[in-house]
Amino acid sequence: LPTVYSLDGLLVFGLLLVCTCAYLRKVPRLRTWLLSERRGIWGVCHKAAVIGTRLHVAVSVSCLLMAFYILVGK
């Protein structure tokens, strides 16, 4: 398991943040409640959701490559 203090741990954390926020953006009630604010910590979630929805192909390929790296490479 990667730790947060290593580079691969930070990449896993970033990918999980982007994927989770993009998923939460698809839920209408959560979108208006959580992702409507554009400043502070909720602003980070909003920006991660925008990245996840606009670059969904690149994010999904990155998730697959990171999963392959963690399962086979380490």
Side-chain angles (χ1 to χ4, degrees):
L1 241 63
T3 61
V4 179
Y5 301 113
S6 63
L7 179 63
D8 55 346
L10 287 174
L11 289 174
V12 168
F13 177 75
L15 284 171
L16 287 175
L17 178 72
V18 168
C19 292
T20 303
C21 291
Y23 177 75
L24 291 177
R25 187 175 179 168
K26 297 292 182 185
V27 180
R29 184 168 289 187
L30 290 177
R31 181 179 185 176
T32 58
W33 188 53
L34 292 176
L35 299 173
S36 61
E37 189 68 35
R38 294 184 185 216
R39 284 193 256 149
I41 189 67
W42 298 118
V44 172
C45 292
H46 177 267
K47 290 173 185 168
V50 169
I51 290 170
T53 53
R54 290 187 183 171
L55 300 174
H56 62 278
V57 174
V59 170
S60 62
V61 168
S62 299
C63 286
L64 288 173
L65 290 174
M66 184 57 73
F68 183 76
Y69 170 72
I70 288 174
L71 291 174
V72 177
K74 283 194 131 188

